[in-house]
Amino acid sequence: MIKLSSFFLFICCISFCSAQKNEIETAFFNSVLPTQDTIIYTDESFGWEIMEEKINKKKFHDYNLNTSKTIKLTISEYKYIKNKISILENYIWNVNQFDRSEKIALAEIEIYLQKRNEPLKLELENVVINDTSAVIQMKNKEYFVYSFSKPIFFRNNKFCLFGFSIISEKKHKPYKKIAFYRKKRGQWIEWLELYNNLD
């Protein structure tokens, strides 16, 4: 009877920890992803090779050098993050991962974006004046696809490492970024950038 009770207690603890992790991850994504439109994202996660390359030391200074932000990882934090990167490198996202979201295969991005953006392009072709706020707003409505990593939380879930890519139609180069984020006053903010492909 004691063994059976211990087993059920163990299962309950695992379920509770899993639910708590999901809540933390959901709160993170609600802070860093756009809240108005549908989030279109790839099935494959992103950034693990870049993370593996960039997490090669324990102390990091602000990438942009305009502030004094630093992070000094403990040995256990460093090992934990390296291990998580290794475990998650082939992570595949679920369908309906977020409210108002759509998941697509990485190989289908180009065709998907052409179809989604075609009506907008036709609408813009018929506009004579190009500098009105309405036209600028229309141009900003262009669809794009996110590809992102699973956030790696550490220090009692107050910090995390996260990477994302924004993919638009083929004529544009995808934007890629890897950064540490920090939770301040209940909101997640970018704390220290490790990499972006525009520099």
Side-chain angles (χ1 to χ4, degrees):
M1 188 67 174
I2 293 172
K3 285 184 179 179
L4 190 59
S5 297
S6 297
F7 175 74
F8 281 123
L9 183 63
F10 175 70
I11 294 298
C12 288
C13 285
I14 289 175
S15 299
F16 175 76
C17 290
S18 178
Q20 190 179 32
K21 280 184 180 177
N22 287 341
E23 284 177 20
I24 294 163
E25 190 172 276
T26 300
F28 174 78
F29 280 121
N30 286 341
S31 285
V32 302
L33 293 180
T35 56
Q36 306 228 336
D37 298 321
T38 300
I39 298 167
I40 307 159
Y41 63 100
T42 61
D43 52 356
E44 295 178 30
S45 54
F46 161 83
W48 306 115
E49 286 181 18
I50 301 169
M51 283 186 195
E52 181 70 37
E53 179 190 331
K54 296 299 176 184
I55 300 291
N56 57 6
K57 53 188 176 181
K58 297 181 186 73
K59 189 170 184 178
F60 302 90
H61 299 279
D62 187 76
Y63 185 84
N64 294 314
L65 303 176
N66 60 356
T67 67
S68 59
K69 294 177 185 172
T70 61
I71 291 181
K72 187 173 183 180
L73 301 174
T74 64
I75 293 170
S76 60
E77 285 172 342
Y78 175 77
K79 287 180 178 177
Y80 171 77
I81 290 170
K82 292 283 279 187
N83 186 50
K84 290 297 278 186
I85 290 169
S86 177
I87 290 168
L88 294 168
E89 64 183 346
N90 296 312
Y91 187 80
I92 300 295
W93 289 101
N94 295 324
V95 176
N96 301 323
Q97 185 69 38
F98 314 101
D99 294 336
R100 300 183 313 280
S101 66
E102 187 176 346
K103 183 180 91 163
I104 65 167
L106 200 58
E108 296 171 5
I109 289 175
E110 188 178 345
I111 294 166
Y112 174 89
L113 287 174
Q114 284 174 353
K115 285 181 181 175
R116 289 297 295 262
N117 288 322
E118 190 60 33
L120 182 61
K121 287 177 187 173
L122 292 172
E123 195 176 344
L124 283 169
E125 281 176 11
N126 297 324
V127 175
V128 179
I129 302 168
N130 288 324
D131 60 353
T132 65
S133 60
V135 171
I136 292 167
Q137 195 172 12
M138 283 168 60
K139 287 179 179 177
N140 290 336
K141 277 167 52 179
E142 183 180 1
Y143 287 95
F144 56 86
V145 178
Y146 278 106
S147 189
F148 38 75
S149 71
K150 207 164 166 56
I152 300 174
F153 297 100
F154 61 102
R155 290 191 190 170
N156 296 319
N157 302 315
K158 299 296 183 190
F159 282 83
C160 85
L161 178 63
F162 178 66
F164 69 90
S165 174
I166 299 174
I167 308 158
S168 56
E169 286 196 63
K170 201 170 186 179
K171 61 186 176 185
H172 301 296
K173 183 179 177 182
Y175 175 66
K176 300 176 182 179
K177 179 183 270 195
I178 306 289
F180 285 107
Y181 288 74
R182 183 178 182 181
K183 194 172 188 180
K184 293 191 83 175
R185 293 185 285 278
Q187 290 294 310
W188 285 96
I189 59 167
E190 184 183 312
W191 181 248
L192 196 154
E193 184 180 285
L194 292 183
Y195 167 85
N196 86 59
N197 66 327
L198 298 184
D199 292 334

